[in-house]
Amino acid sequence: LSLTMPATDVLAVSGAHSEAVLEVFTPAGTCVMNTILGEGSSAVSVARLVPGVYVASVRDATGASTLRFIKR
């Protein structure tokens, strides 16, 4: 699983399996986004997020991955 960094308006997620769930959290643990990803790679709009550091969690049938990313 990989994410584009830093993200501006779009966060590109690659390596996710179909029906993967992407959740984005603030450093304080508040969920600010929740969406379902497609197979392979997906582009997710993060334009409404304020600039800062976030934690992205991707869960699918094979497990879960957690990565930090910067929104500019």
Side-chain angles (χ1 to χ4, degrees):
L1 180 70
S2 65
L3 305 173
T4 55
M5 286 198 256
T8 51
D9 290 334
V10 175
L11 179 66
V13 182
S14 61
H17 297 283
S18 69
E19 301 298 316
V21 176
L22 168 70
E23 294 176 309
V24 177
F25 298 92
T26 65
T30 304
C31 183
V32 292
M33 182 181 294
N34 186 331
T35 189
I36 296 174
L37 303 173
E39 182 79 31
S41 63
S42 296
V44 178
S45 175
V46 292
R48 66 181 181 89
L49 298 179
V50 297
V53 177
Y54 292 89
V55 177
S57 174
V58 178
R59 291 179 288 116
D60 60 24
T62 63
S65 296
T66 303
L67 298 169
R68 288 180 182 232
F69 72 95
I70 298 170
K71 171 24 172 114
R72 287 200 179 170

